[in-house]
């Protein structure tokens, strides 16, 4: 069963959420500040985190951003703030969902289950009877059905080649894809050693995704090997 971390300095809320999660059979780890949460993340295999925004040492947005540097599991922001800008900030920094206090514990549990289903289906490669037509993780959604790609709700204007590159990498998420494999799969031609076509298209794709060149969050370069989406 899934391991879930709750981070909230209000012990009554943390305890309440813990009861509901344990009733569903989940393993629960409770933290009351950001530093303890970071320690938990580095020492426990987690499948989902529920983060309060208002923490005594490190705000939930900063905590979310730090977690996203190395981990891909779903994050649900739990807070009393209801302003749209707070929701946008959380989602932009890598949160997958946002629920405001006071909340219905049953609604929270329903959202937890939804996020876990998506995480397992799209990120762990579980087989199913239908061919996957859409990937959705960390704010990036790419759909083969309508040939659209959005990043944090903003549609990306991708060329057919750029879309195919991103789709191929998403299909093989977690694996390193060589330039040769990517070129032959997308372009359908024999790869030539001196060919920098893949590199230039990856650079353009990152630019459209507003990815920092040195520390991209989505398409990462494994030097001497190829590219990967983790």
């Amino acid at each position: 069963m899934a391991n879930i971390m709750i981070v909230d300095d209000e012990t009554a809320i943390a305890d309440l959420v813990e009861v509901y999660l344990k009733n569903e059979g989940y393993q629960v780890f409770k933290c009351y500040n950001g530093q303890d949460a970071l320690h938990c993340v580095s020492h426990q295999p987690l499948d989902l985190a529920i983060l309060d925004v208002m923490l005594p040492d490190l705000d939930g947005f900063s905590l979310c951003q730090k977690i996203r540097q190395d981990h891909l599991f779903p994050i649900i922001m739990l807070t009393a703030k209801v302003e749209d800008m707070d929701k946008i900030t959380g989602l932009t920094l890598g949160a997958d969902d946002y629920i405001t206090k006071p909340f219905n514990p049953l609604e929270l549990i329903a959202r937890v289950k939804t996020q876990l289903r998506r995480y397992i289906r799209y990120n762990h490669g579980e087989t199913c009877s239908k061919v996957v037509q859409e990937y959705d993780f960390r704010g990036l959604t790419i759909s083969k059905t309508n040939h659209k790609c959005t990043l944090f709700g903003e549609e990306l204007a991708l060329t057919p080649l750029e879309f195919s590159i991103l789709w191929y990498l998403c299909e093989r998420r977690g694996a390193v894809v060589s330039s040769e494999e990517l070129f032959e799969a997308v372009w359908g031609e024999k790869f030539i050693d001196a060919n920098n076509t893949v590199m230039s298209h990856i650079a353009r794709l990152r630019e459209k995704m507003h990815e920092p060149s040195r520390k991209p969050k989505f398409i990462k370069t494994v030097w001497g090997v190829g590219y990967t989406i983790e």
Side-chain angles (χ1 to χ4, degrees):
M1 185 55 74
N3 294 334
I4 299 178
M5 179 179 68
I6 305 168
V7 187
D8 198 314
D9 62 333
E10 295 185 63
T11 57
I13 291 179
D15 291 345
L16 175 65
V17 175
E18 178 186 29
V19 169
Y20 277 85
L21 289 174
K22 284 190 171 181
N23 284 342
E24 296 294 328
Y26 299 123
Q27 176 70 37
V28 177
F29 300 90
K30 288 189 297 184
C31 301
Y32 304 107
N33 59 66
Q35 292 303 320
D36 286 349
L38 291 174
H39 183 271
C40 180
V41 168
S42 64
H43 289 81
Q44 298 291 344
L46 298 175
D47 299 291
L48 184 142
I50 301 172
L51 311 181
D52 184 25
V53 169
M54 303 302 291
L55 296 171
D57 57 344
L58 183 69
D59 69 83
F61 294 139
S62 299
L63 177 57
C64 176
Q65 192 171 27
K66 287 181 178 294
I67 291 174
R68 275 291 173 257
Q69 292 175 2
D70 301 299
H71 301 279
L72 302 175
F73 54 74
I75 295 176
I76 298 176
M77 304 300 293
L78 181 63
T79 180
K81 292 189 173 183
V82 297
E83 291 83 358
D84 288 339
M85 186 53 64
D86 291 316
K87 296 180 181 180
I88 293 171
T89 299
L91 295 173
T92 301
L93 293 176
D96 298 276
D97 202 355
Y98 200 108
I99 190 168
T100 56
K101 300 176 182 178
F103 60 91
N104 184 330
L106 295 178
E107 179 185 356
L108 177 59
I109 296 302
R111 295 196 184 196
V112 166
K113 290 181 177 179
T114 297
Q115 292 301 327
L116 287 174
R117 280 197 300 269
R118 289 177 179 173
Y119 183 58
I120 292 171
R121 179 180 178 186
Y122 295 128
N123 303 315
H124 290 302
E126 282 199 347
T127 57
C128 57
S129 59
K130 295 182 179 180
V131 176
V132 174
Q133 293 293 319
E134 180 177 299
Y135 292 95
D136 183 355
F137 56 93
R138 293 172 55 201
L140 173 67
T141 301
I142 182 168
S143 173
K144 220 170 186 179
T145 303
N146 55 21
H147 214 74
K148 288 185 178 181
C149 178
T150 61
L151 185 61
F152 305 126
E154 176 187 353
E155 185 172 346
L156 303 181
L158 303 183
T159 66
L161 277 175
E162 290 166 349
F163 183 93
S164 296
I165 291 171
L166 187 57
W167 180 265
Y168 193 85
L169 291 174
C170 287
E171 278 187 317
R172 288 149 185 80
R173 187 179 178 195
V176 180
V177 179
S178 68
S179 296
E180 178 179 359
E181 177 185 348
L182 193 55
F183 184 86
E184 293 182 358
V186 175
W187 277 264
E189 300 175 8
K190 186 66 179 177
F191 181 80
I192 302 175
D193 289 342
N195 195 329
N196 64 355
T197 302
V198 172
M199 184 184 300
S200 61
H201 276 78
I202 290 289
R204 179 58 178 160
L205 190 52
R206 284 173 173 161
E207 181 181 345
K208 289 185 176 182
M209 296 173 71
H210 312 295
E211 289 252 64
S213 57
R214 293 191 176 183
K215 289 186 177 181
K217 294 182 179 180
F218 288 94
I219 304 176
K220 298 185 178 182
T221 301
V222 180
W223 296 109
V225 184
Y227 303 95
T228 184
I229 289 185
E230 298 179 345

